[in-house]
Amino acid sequence: MSNSFANNRNICESTGSEAYSNPKYGHVMLEALNKQRLDKKHCDFTLEVKNEFIYAHKALLAAASPYFEAMFKHNVKENTEGKVKFTDVEVKPLKLIIDYIYSGEIKISEDIVQSLLFITDLFQIDWIKEQCEQFLKLRVDLTNCFSIWKIAGVHSCKELFVYCNRYILRHFPQLIDSEEFLRLSFEELKAVLTDDGLYVQCEKNAYLSVLNWIKYDIEARKTHLQTLLSHVHLPLLNGEFLRYHTIAEPLLNKELLRLLPNNKRKSSFVPSTSEKRKYHNRYGLPRVLFTGGRVESQPLDACKIYHLSNSKVFTVSSLKEPRRCISTVSLNGLMYTVGGIGGNSNLDLVTAECYDPFINEWTQIASMQTARSSYGACVYNDCIYVVGGNKNTTVENYNPIRNKWYQCPNLSVKNVNDIRAAIIENSIYALGSKQTFRFDSREGQWYNLDNSIIVGVSFEVVSYGHSLYCIGGCSRKSNCRRFDVRSNSWETLSPMNVGRHGHSVLIIEGGIYAFGGWYRKALSTVERYDFQKDKWTIDDSVKIAHSYGGAALIHYPTK
């Protein structure tokens, strides 16, 4: 027997020891403690809030919260009496936090997230605070960004504060009419206006933001006008725009005129090397958005962005529905495209869409009153005008604030094919295949102009100075002409190197750019027209294959 025992002992010694871990132990123990808490058994501490009592264990509270750990280390009243009374917290969030201590799980909702932040600050439970930050971060939008920004500041949520601040700076043009913006304090507004990262898109938005804020409570705020306007780059405001506002806003007239002599009027502003970064933040970097188009007569929903700074092209979010024979315009940092020919039906569309480059998303807006394609589109007085189209002489405008289309006087012609539109001073100019028109919104009337030039169809038009520039088209693919609105006369310009129709043209950095188009096949060449030299030059640095779609220039805020 002794030999057998010895052998067994040797066997045990040779195998060594093993450690075993119960993966469910922590969960099981917390469940057991939680059951004790709910059954009010073996609890040695009570939390009272608004006549409700929450039972707990000191050891677990101290392990989860530095606040309770410090309380239980000292001979304070709460420790000796085994209870604490809260007068400035809500019942529901406090219960949720105690539930978390016993389970490791918490459910956050919009109605209690701010109360949770307050209590987690008090209890110093960092994990819950981080989850609250992430919860709010995912919900930041144009309607609540200022509220969440303030919450982040109050509770020292650094990551959330930086995120909201950046969101506000990047979306500033879209926020200046919002209720949250108008309720900002003077110090808060000043902090936004003086931030080097502020993106205003154009200085008009900075000026209007001050004007809107002052007028929200003019008697209480008018003393801040001069200080706030000192942070607006007044020399960059259009002289006519300023003159209009000094007349239209008599209460602001004297204050504004006092500032103007200190700022020499300039029609353009070129920053020094040291100012370029701040300049790009404030006005963004120019890029071109191409929308829709066609491939072998089939409409496309694809959209792409062309970076002027590095000649790179990348894809962005697609249109909600395919469209060809469309125009695209930019207004207050958003892009709009309407109508066109869609799907396989070959019918004109009545629908319209809006693109937000900040979130890279197209959304449906109110539909037009009349379906149209091959129309003209332009922006005037913060509204979008669409003019005519293929066998269409109707005109309407869109108010983005009201999300509504309004009928305008029709073109004074019976039959028309393609139409293109552009703005010169206070008038909308529309160019058809055989006729030129001018619309004065103050008079609400269209006038026929010089009709001696036949431009055909699928041409493009841009305005520069006091002139309309008609580029290409089906019948005269490389021809270029200039219409001087002062003399009501046409002039022939140098032709493009590559004839094209269904292309896109834009004024970019003091020149006309012609992108893509069609001539026997899809074209990808890009040309630039020099006004001074009356010469077209092919830009070999980029290829843009795009025809019968829309294109518009937009200034993106820097990253």
Side-chain angles (χ1 to χ4, degrees):
M1 178 178 283
S2 60
N3 291 337
S4 176
F5 176 78
N7 290 336
N8 288 338
R9 183 179 62 191
N10 293 337
I11 290 171
C12 291
E13 290 176 353
S14 65
T15 57
S17 61
E18 293 287 345
Y20 296 92
S21 175
N22 182 351
K24 299 180 180 179
Y25 183 80
H27 181 69
V28 171
M29 287 297 293
L30 281 176
E31 277 192 339
L33 288 169
N34 195 38
K35 188 175 186 305
Q36 290 179 13
R37 175 178 74 92
L38 297 175
D39 293 339
K40 304 176 185 178
K41 293 180 179 179
H42 310 301
C43 297
D44 53 2
F45 198 74
T46 304
L47 297 85
E48 181 183 349
V49 54
K50 295 186 177 179
N51 297 321
E52 290 199 33
F53 298 91
I54 304 170
Y55 298 90
H57 302 86
K58 283 185 177 181
L60 203 52
L61 293 177
S65 165
Y67 168 83
F68 286 110
E69 182 183 22
M71 178 185 292
F72 300 148
K73 276 183 178 180
H74 302 92
N75 191 29
V76 296
K77 176 183 176 183
E78 290 80 5
N79 188 21
T80 57
E81 293 183 356
K83 66 178 182 180
V84 62
K85 184 175 181 179
F86 295 102
T87 59
D88 51 357
V89 301
E90 298 297 323
V91 176
K92 183 179 178 180
L94 180 59
K95 285 184 173 180
L96 287 173
I97 288 176
I98 301 302
D99 287 342
Y100 162 77
I101 291 175
Y102 280 84
S103 66
E105 298 178 358
I106 190 167
K107 185 175 182 180
I108 302 173
S109 58
E110 293 182 9
D111 60 322
I112 61 165
V113 63
Q114 193 169 354
S115 296
L116 285 174
L117 280 170
F118 176 80
I119 299 173
T120 53
D121 276 346
L122 178 64
F123 290 177
Q124 302 170 54
I125 304 178
D126 292 338
W127 187 86
I128 297 180
K129 183 173 183 177
E130 291 170 3
Q131 307 320 304
C132 289
E133 283 195 67
Q134 293 304 313
F135 178 87
L136 288 171
K137 186 176 178 181
L138 293 173
R139 285 158 177 79
V140 173
D141 60 30
L142 295 173
T143 66
N144 62 24
C145 55
F146 286 108
S147 295
I148 298 178
W149 180 54
K150 293 178 182 180
I151 291 171
V154 168
H155 296 286
S156 300
C157 301
K158 294 181 180 180
E159 181 183 336
L160 180 61
F161 184 86
V162 170
Y163 180 84
C164 289
N165 193 63
R166 183 168 176 264
Y167 184 95
I168 290 166
L169 296 176
R170 285 165 57 88
H171 289 78
F172 184 79
Q174 298 163 261
L175 294 168
I176 60 176
D177 294 311
S178 69
E179 185 73 15
E180 281 202 343
F181 173 82
L182 297 174
R183 290 181 175 272
L184 291 177
S185 68
F186 166 71
E187 291 76 14
E188 289 167 339
L189 177 57
K190 183 180 176 182
V192 172
L193 287 175
T194 57
D195 196 302
D196 284 351
L198 178 64
Y199 169 67
V200 300
Q201 187 187 35
C202 60
E203 204 60 30
K204 175 184 174 182
N205 289 326
Y207 172 81
L208 290 177
S209 73
V210 172
L211 194 66
N212 291 348
W213 186 85
I214 294 288
K215 291 173 69 177
Y216 189 76
D217 188 357
I218 194 165
E219 290 303 319
R221 295 176 173 181
K222 61 183 180 181
T223 56
H224 300 303
L225 176 63
Q226 187 164 348
T227 299
L228 293 175
L229 282 181
S230 69
H231 302 299
V232 177
H233 299 173
L234 293 174
L236 299 184
L237 290 172
N238 179 276
E240 186 171 347
F241 171 80
L242 268 181
R243 286 192 295 275
Y244 169 80
H245 275 277
T246 57
I247 296 172
E249 301 294 339
L251 290 175
L252 307 180
N253 190 26
K254 292 181 180 179
E255 298 288 348
L256 186 55
L257 290 177
R258 188 181 301 145
L259 290 174
L260 292 181
N262 298 323
N263 298 275
K264 295 180 180 179
R265 296 285 180 83
K266 296 180 182 179
S267 59
S268 61
F269 172 68
V270 178
S272 65
T273 303
S274 61
E275 293 174 317
K276 279 187 177 181
R277 181 173 179 81
K278 183 176 179 179
Y279 178 82
H280 286 153
N281 283 339
R282 193 169 181 87
Y283 306 110
L285 295 172
R287 300 175 188 176
V288 179
L289 174 68
F290 295 96
T291 59
R294 77 176 194 186
V295 171
E296 298 181 353
S297 298
Q298 291 300 310
L300 302 174
D301 60 4
C303 299
K304 51 196 172 186
I305 289 285
Y306 166 47
H307 283 243
L308 295 169
S309 58
N310 56 21
S311 297
K312 291 184 179 180
V313 179
F314 67 93
T315 302
V316 294
S317 179
S318 297
L319 293 165
K320 291 295 183 181
E321 55 185 316
R323 302 172 187 269
R324 63 182 175 90
C325 300
I326 58 175
S327 294
T328 299
V329 296
S330 174
L331 174 60
N332 292 332
L334 301 177
M335 311 293 278
Y336 296 84
T337 193
V338 305
I341 300 173
N344 298 318
S345 64
N346 211 35
L347 296 176
D348 288 355
L349 298 172
V350 72
T351 55
E353 303 184 37
C354 172
Y355 176 70
D356 186 341
F358 301 102
I359 60 175
N360 185 30
E361 183 175 296
W362 286 93
T363 55
Q364 294 279 1
I365 59 173
S367 294
M368 296 180 292
Q369 298 181 18
T370 305
R372 66 186 74 236
S373 64
S374 301
Y375 54 88
C378 58
V379 172
Y380 180 69
N381 279 349
D382 290 329
C383 289
I384 297 167
Y385 283 76
V386 289
V387 182
N390 187 25
K391 300 178 181 179
N392 187 336
T393 60
T394 65
V395 181
E396 50 190 306
N397 70 39
Y398 173 73
N399 185 320
I401 296 176
R402 298 181 180 179
N403 188 29
K404 188 174 180 179
W405 290 91
Y406 297 89
Q407 196 68 42
C408 301
N410 293 348
L411 291 170
S412 53
V413 65
K414 291 183 179 180
N415 296 313
V416 67
N417 291 322
D418 286 12
I419 286 282
R420 295 295 180 267
I423 299 293
I424 297 180
E425 295 182 339
N426 291 314
S427 296
I428 298 173
Y429 288 82
L431 182 61
S433 56
K434 299 179 181 180
Q435 293 171 292
T436 308
F437 312 90
R438 182 180 71 86
F439 178 72
D440 190 321
S441 62
R442 296 168 295 187
E443 301 175 7
Q445 184 176 345
W446 286 97
Y447 296 92
N448 291 343
L449 304 179
D450 187 299
N451 298 324
S452 62
I453 294 293
I454 298 176
V455 297
V457 295
S458 300
F459 57 91
E460 280 298 333
V461 168
V462 291
S463 62
Y464 188 77
H466 296 281
S467 298
L468 296 175
Y469 290 79
C470 179
I471 313 297
C474 282
S475 58
R476 294 167 175 80
K477 299 175 180 60
S478 61
N479 282 8
C480 300
R481 296 181 177 87
R482 182 178 73 87
F483 180 73
D484 190 320
V485 300
R486 296 168 298 183
S487 62
N488 193 35
S489 62
W490 285 94
E491 174 190 7
T492 300
L493 306 175
S494 296
M496 289 184 288
N497 294 285
V498 179
R500 60 190 80 210
H501 56 88
H503 50 296
S504 298
V505 296
L506 295 170
I507 299 290
I508 302 174
E509 297 177 345
I512 301 177
Y513 277 76
F515 298 94
W518 189 273
Y519 182 46
R520 297 178 181 171
K521 64 178 182 179
L523 301 176
S524 61
T525 54
V526 177
E527 296 191 48
R528 183 184 186 278
Y529 177 74
D530 188 312
F531 291 103
Q532 299 295 325
K533 298 179 180 178
D534 182 27
K535 182 180 180 181
W536 287 91
T537 304
I538 293 178
D539 185 349
D540 293 320
S541 65
V542 64
K543 301 293 182 183
I544 304 287
H546 181 73
S547 61
Y548 289 91
L553 187 68
I554 186 170
H555 284 74
Y556 271 60
T558 56
K559 297 294 184 182

